Amino acid sequence: MKKPLKVAAWCGLFFLVISLATTAISIMSYFAHKSTGLTVTNLVLQITSISLLIVFIYGFYELGKKTNNEFLSIMSIIGIVLLSIYLVFFMVFSLLMSLASPNSGPFLSPGNGESIMNPGEIIAIITVLGIFFIFISFLMTLPFAIYAIVFGVSIRKSKNEVELAGATGTLLIISGATYFLLIGFLLNYIVVILGTIMLFKASKKFENGK
C-alpha cells in the first residue's frame, strides 16, 4: 500500500457515510416490516462498514511506526483483532437469523413448501438467538470500552508529532469511559471524524511526495 495513512483516512470517511446509510435503511426496514431486500442491503452495509473500520484502525498502526510510537502500533493490532472477531460473530449470527426465518429452507417442507413449524416455535427460536446476541454483545462491550480508553492513551502519545492526536485521544478516552451510556456510543462517531482528519493531516506530513 503506497499511502496507507491516506487510504485509512478515506476508509474512515466512507465508514461515516455508510453508517448513516445503514441507520437510514434500518429505520426503513422497521417501517417496511423487515423487507427482505432492505434487510440484505443492511447486512451488506454493516459488513462493509466494519471492514472499513478495520482498515481505518490499520492506519493508526502505520502512524505508530512513522512516529516511533510502538504503543500505538500494538493497540492498533489489538483493535484489528477485536473488530475481526466481531465481524465473524456478526456474520455467523446474521446467517443463523436468516436460517431462523419462517421462509427459510430448514423450516419449509420439501413437499409443499409450507412451514413445518408453527409460528410460536419459530418466534421462540428467534427470541433465543436475539437474547444470545444481546448477551454476547454485552460481554464484548467491556473489552471494547477498556480498549477504547487504552487506545486513546496510545494516540495521545503522538500529540507532539501529529495534529489533533491529543484531542482525538482524549475524546476516545471519554468515549470508552462512558461506553455503557448512549453518550459514549455517539462520541465514537466524533472520534472517527477527528481521527479521519488527523490521518489526512498525518498523510500530508509523512507521505507527501510519495
Side-chain angles (χ1 to χ4, degrees):
M1 195 181 297
K2 191 174 182 181
K3 294 186 177 183
L5 296 179
K6 180 171 286 188
V7 171
W10 277 110
C11 284
L13 185 61
F14 289 140
F15 166 78
L16 291 168
V17 174
I18 291 178
S19 294
L20 291 174
T22 301
T23 301
I25 290 176
S26 296
I27 295 174
M28 291 172 62
S29 297
Y30 175 79
F31 287 106
H33 303 291
K34 297 183 178 180
S35 169
T36 303
L38 291 176
T39 302
V40 172
T41 302
N42 186 47
L43 174 61
V44 171
L45 288 178
Q46 288 277 13
I47 294 174
T48 302
S49 66
I50 297 173
S51 301
L52 287 171
L53 195 57
I54 290 175
V55 180
F56 176 70
I57 297 297
Y58 176 78
F60 289 90
Y61 167 77
E62 291 290 339
L63 182 62
K65 292 199 302 183
K66 294 182 183 298
T67 58
N68 296 316
N69 186 349
E70 187 177 358
F71 186 25
L72 177 58
S73 293
I74 293 174
M75 291 309 300
S76 299
I77 293 298
I78 294 175
I80 291 172
V81 172
L82 286 175
L83 283 172
S84 298
I85 293 173
Y86 180 78
L87 177 59
V88 172
F89 170 70
F90 178 79
M91 292 174 67
V92 171
F93 175 77
S94 298
L95 176 61
L96 290 175
M97 287 298 291
S98 176
L99 293 175
S101 169
N103 294 320
S104 65
F107 293 149
L108 297 181
S109 171
N112 52 25
E114 295 181 357
S115 177
I116 60 176
M117 299 182 69
N118 63 56
E121 292 174 324
I122 295 173
I123 291 174
I125 292 174
I126 294 176
T127 301
V128 171
L129 288 175
I131 293 174
F132 176 74
F133 178 76
I134 293 173
F135 176 71
I136 297 298
S137 296
F138 179 78
L139 289 181
M140 294 183 69
T141 297
L142 182 58
F144 272 111
I146 296 174
Y147 170 75
I149 294 174
V150 182
F151 190 34
V153 173
S154 70
I155 292 175
R156 279 186 55 81
K157 288 178 64 70
S158 294
K159 64 181 181 180
N160 294 328
E161 290 83 14
V162 184
E163 290 184 60
L164 294 178
T168 303
T170 299
L171 198 60
L172 187 55
I173 293 172
I174 296 174
S175 173
T178 58
Y179 208 78
F180 285 94
L181 305 174
L182 179 61
I183 184 174
F185 178 77
L186 295 176
L187 281 177
N188 282 336
Y189 290 97
I190 301 178
V191 170
V192 174
I193 293 173
L194 286 178
T196 298
I197 299 173
M198 172 184 161
L199 288 176
F200 273 124
K201 288 181 175 293
S203 175
K204 186 175 181 180
K205 178 179 180 179
F206 296 107
E207 298 176 335
N208 191 28
K210 287 188 178 182

